């Protein structure tokens, strides 16, 4: 496992991190608390030091499990959490998005509650969770500075979502020198990641990028195949059928990345992301110990060559020569598509 710095914060992260959205929720299948704790501790044994959770995951349960599992190795790991969804006053309705609350007084209180659940006096990375561009106000930025000055956090981040757009928000975070921006980014979904690479280059910002969903909801690691029947409640089942059907065709054109067995496709998908200099860590969705074994090794497999990177870019530029709708011709935008339009992307803003 290799390690890097998050922004210029001095906070170290493993190149492969653990996205703890699978811990404390049933959105990726059921698991017991004991199983979740065992997975987290096993990840540490395999060299993972970056653990990314959020207060809304399981309405605090994920933070509690992360805190319990990592208590014995606190000085060896980097823990990130997110705040901004008001689950305290609103019930969860299926997979629907809860109301957000980004007022500084609420955020400070949420941080205190997160620290209590994590069993920590401070958290390494605090991320605003899916904040709209008009919610990242000067008062919110001042609060983040205050929390850092008070020693309650070491680094600041913005987690974008829940779908893959939100260009204006990421641009703002990069321009304001947030230490990290988390986003959906993978070989099959490149628009947003490519855009932020350009923003970082244009501004000279030190902001690090943290890609999640590197395997495109199970296509690139071949955990979702044409024969797969997803369990009830599995979050990946909410993608349209067309997305998977076109994705399987694209996958076959990417087989060259496996390079004579030196890399699995799951490893190559992570290695492709790590080939971009601003990427500090990648957070795949671990469901089993076998996932951890395979994907942590992505930090050590042969790096992608310039020729391989160019070939991937050329395939994406032509949409893999697939001339039909993949069911995902929309990028979520919190500013009615203005950010997408200004970026020149040939996509529609989601309704």
């Amino acid at each position: 496992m290799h390690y890097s710095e998050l922004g210029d914060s001095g906070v170290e992260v493993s190149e492969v991190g653990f996205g703890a959205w699978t811990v404390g929720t049933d959105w990726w299948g059921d698991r017991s608390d004991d199983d979740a704790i065992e997975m987290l501790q096993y990840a540490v044994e395999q060299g993972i030091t970056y653990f990314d959770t959020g207060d809304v995951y399981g309405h605090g349960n994920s933070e509690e499990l992360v805190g319990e599992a990592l208590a014995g190795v606190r000085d060896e790991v980097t823990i990130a959490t997110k705040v901004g969804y008001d689950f305290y006053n609103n019930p969860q309705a299926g997979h629907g998005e809860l109301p957000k609350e980004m007022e500084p007084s609420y955020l400070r209180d949420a941080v205190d509650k997160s620290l209590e659940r994590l069993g920590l006096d401070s958290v390494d990375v605090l991320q605003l969770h899916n904040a709209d561009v008009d919610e990242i106000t000067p008062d919110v930025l001042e609060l983040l500075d205050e929390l850092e000055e008070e020693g309650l956090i070491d680094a600041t981040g913005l987690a974008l979502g829940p779908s893959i757009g939100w260009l204006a928000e990421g641009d703002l975070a990069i321009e304001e020198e947030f230490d990290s921006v988390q986003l959906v980014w993978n070989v099959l979904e490149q628009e947003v990641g490519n855009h932020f690479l350009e923003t970082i280059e244009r501004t000279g910002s030190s902001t690090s990028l943290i890609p999640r969903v590197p395997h495109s909801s199970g296509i690139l690691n071949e955990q979702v195949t044409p024969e797969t029947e997803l369990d009830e409640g599995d979050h990946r089942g909410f993608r349209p059928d067309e997305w998977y059907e076109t994705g399987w065709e694209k996958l076959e054109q990417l087989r060259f990345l496996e390079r004579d067995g030196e890399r699995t496709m799951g490893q190559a998908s992570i290695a492709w992301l790590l080939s971009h200099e601003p990427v500090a860590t990648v957070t795949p969705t671990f469901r089993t110990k076998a996932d951890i074994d395979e994907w942590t090794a992505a930090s050590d497999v042969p790096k992608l060559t310039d020729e391989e990177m160019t070939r991937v870019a050329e395939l994406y530029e032509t949409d893999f020569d697939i001339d039909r709708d993949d069911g995902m011709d929309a990028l979520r935008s919190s500013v009615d598509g203005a950010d997408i339009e200004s970026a020149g992307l040939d996509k529609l803003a989601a309704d």
Side-chain angles (χ1 to χ4, degrees):
M1 180 68 71
H2 297 272
Y3 303 86
S4 60
E5 181 182 3
L6 203 63
D8 60 4
S9 66
V11 173
E12 183 184 82
V13 295
S14 51
E15 284 192 338
V16 180
F18 193 115
W21 36 82
T22 60
V23 174
T25 75
D26 61 0
W27 287 21
W28 287 265
D30 289 327
R31 62 170 49 84
S32 70
D33 287 354
D34 288 342
D35 288 341
I37 290 172
E38 185 177 353
M39 283 270 290
L40 289 160
Q41 293 175 339
Y42 185 75
V44 175
E45 295 171 7
Q46 304 312 306
I48 291 178
T49 61
Y50 179 70
F51 294 85
D52 190 321
T53 185
D55 65 355
V56 75
Y57 302 147
H59 289 199
N61 191 30
S62 177
E63 289 181 323
E64 291 172 351
L65 292 171
V66 167
E68 181 179 349
L70 303 181
V73 292
R74 175 65 186 102
D75 294 338
E76 303 170 27
V77 297
T78 295
I79 297 176
T81 196
K82 310 177 190 75
V83 293
Y85 278 111
D86 183 8
F87 63 90
Y88 298 102
N89 299 301
N90 298 280
Q92 183 77 50
H95 289 194
E97 188 176 4
L98 288 169
K100 287 181 293 181
E101 177 57 76
M102 295 290 169
E103 285 298 317
S105 59
Y106 172 85
L107 293 174
R108 179 177 280 279
D109 186 50
V111 170
D112 289 341
K113 291 175 179 175
S114 286
L115 291 174
E116 183 177 351
R117 284 189 292 267
L118 288 163
L120 301 175
D121 295 324
S122 65
V123 69
D124 300 300
V125 188
L126 178 70
Q127 302 166 91
L128 299 180
H129 204 171
N130 299 348
D132 291 354
V133 67
D134 59 1
E135 293 173 327
I136 308 174
T137 64
D139 287 344
V140 169
L141 296 175
E142 183 178 353
L143 171 68
L144 295 176
D145 288 339
E146 290 174 359
L147 293 173
E148 195 164 350
E149 290 169 2
E150 294 167 17
L152 295 178
I153 66 174
D154 292 322
T156 58
L158 176 63
L160 299 176
S163 49
I164 69 172
W166 301 58
L167 302 182
E169 287 75 10
D171 283 348
L172 175 60
I174 292 168
E175 291 162 2
E176 291 289 343
E177 296 272 6
F178 276 50
D179 296 300
S180 67
V181 170
Q182 183 187 129
L183 68 153
V184 172
W185 188 14
N186 56 65
V187 175
L188 303 184
E189 299 168 283
Q190 295 187 30
E191 287 101 334
V192 176
N194 291 343
H195 176 83
F196 291 149
L197 290 176
E198 294 174 359
T199 304
I200 289 171
E201 182 175 4
R202 172 176 56 81
T203 62
S205 173
S206 63
T207 301
S208 292
L209 299 178
I210 302 178
R212 69 177 188 275
V213 199
H215 297 124
S216 197
S217 298
I219 292 177
L220 293 169
N221 59 338
E222 301 183 81
Q223 286 189 351
V224 179
T225 71
E227 290 74 39
T228 301
E229 293 186 12
L230 296 173
D231 295 336
E232 183 178 355
D234 190 310
H235 187 65
R236 296 170 298 178
F238 288 81
R239 294 248 183 176
D241 291 343
E242 295 88 348
W243 169 257
Y244 288 105
E245 290 164 2
T246 56
W248 294 321
E249 293 182 41
K250 296 172 183 178
L251 171 65
E252 294 307 315
Q253 298 184 57
L254 292 166
R255 291 292 183 190
F256 67 91
L257 292 177
E258 294 172 312
R259 214 167 86 178
D260 298 324
E262 290 185 313
R263 299 179 292 235
T264 67
M265 187 59 68
Q267 291 169 339
S269 302
I270 295 172
W272 176 80
L273 288 164
L274 291 172
S275 296
H276 298 90
E277 186 175 352
V279 173
T281 181
V282 179
T283 54
T285 301
F286 296 117
R287 302 183 72 215
T288 67
K289 289 182 178 179
D291 291 342
I292 295 174
D293 288 337
E294 178 184 351
W295 300 338
T296 53
S299 181
D300 295 307
V301 299
K303 303 300 182 184
L304 270 66
T305 65
D306 291 342
E307 291 77 12
E308 288 171 326
M309 294 294 289
T310 298
R311 189 171 174 187
V312 170
E314 290 172 347
L315 284 169
Y316 193 78
E317 183 68 24
T318 63
D319 198 23
F320 296 79
D321 293 323
I322 296 175
D323 187 21
R324 69 177 188 280
D325 184 17
D326 64 5
M328 293 286 286
D329 192 24
L331 292 176
R332 171 91 179 233
S333 171
S334 64
V335 288
D336 297 323
D339 53 349
I340 294 170
E341 183 179 354
S342 66
L345 298 182
D346 185 21
K347 295 285 183 177
L348 303 174
D351 293 332

